Amino acid sequence: MASTSGDKLNTGQPEASEVERWSSLIGGGAMVLMGLKQGSLRGVLTALAGGGLIYQGATKQSTIEQAQSAIGINQPIKVEKTVTINKPADELYRYWHNFENLPTFMKHLKSVKVYDQKRSHWIANAPLGNSVEWDAEILEDRENEFISWASVEGADVDNSGFVRFQKAPGDRGTEVKIVLEYNPPGGILGATVAKLFGEEPEQQIGDELRRFKMLMEAGEIATTEGQSRGSK
């Protein structure tokens, strides 16, 4: 039986308000949507830099991602460390913000070259005398408070992270917190090999923050050989 004109009105097409709602979601806040989709620290930082974040949405994993995580596939390594340094936040921020200073206390870094206010090139040591390289881009930069970054496409090591400078309780200086997430070359296997050669990331970041503390408070870094490096 032929459809009536009334039947034609009920075509199953979404109502105008529904279309507008989805168009708004898809068309607005591209960086936020990209960040939420990634479901990682990089995604969260990208979303924050984009101007908004629903935390539950950013951290929720899909069923496939949960299964991959359970068996160690595509599982990133995340490191979180905090140290209190008896120096004001603005002094620590200025030193750190010049990324070319970082190899002075980060032993795993060979060099950092700053291209401009957003982009820099990093070369780091890898097991068996190798090295890895990547370009990184600043996602958010709040003076004397916070810097977040992520590697760009094509990096040898896909990584992202942030460093936060916050006044410590009791006027004890500044709490410096670093959170880093990365996928090592070769995935979990690569991380296991790195640990065997003394490059365990959590211990590494902790040691580097302690060296940063020594450098900022004492002006030098004492080594196990009784030597020192840094300004005198």
Side-chain angles (χ1 to χ4, degrees), residues 193-208:
V193 171
K195 291 180 182 180
L196 292 175
F197 285 87
E199 299 293 333
E200 203 283 324
E202 189 165 358
Q203 179 179 344
Q204 183 184 80
I205 296 300
D207 290 344
E208 289 171 345

Side-chain angles (χ1 to χ4, degrees), residues 42-53:
R42 175 195 291 267
V44 172
L45 294 173
T46 303
L48 284 169
L53 171 66

Side-chain angles (χ1 to χ4, degrees), residues 44-67:
V44 172
L45 294 173
T46 303
L48 284 169
L53 171 66
I54 302 173
Y55 181 77
Q56 294 297 330
T59 57
K60 185 180 295 183
Q61 289 180 306
S62 69
T63 303
I64 294 175
E65 289 170 333
Q66 290 173 354

Side-chain angles (χ1 to χ4, degrees), residues 21 26 57 63 67 78 87-88 110 112 123 131-132 193 217:
R21 184 172 72 87
I26 294 170
T63 303
K78 183 177 179 181
K87 287 289 182 178
K110 290 185 176 180
V112 180
I123 304 177
S131 62
V132 290
V193 171
E217 291 183 347

Side-chain angles (χ1 to χ4, degrees), residues 108-111 121-134 155-157 185:
H108 77 285
L109 286 178
K110 290 185 176 180
S111 66
H121 183 74
W122 302 57
I123 304 177
N125 294 309
L128 302 176
N130 295 315
S131 62
V132 290
E133 303 184 29
W134 66 90
D156 289 342
V157 179

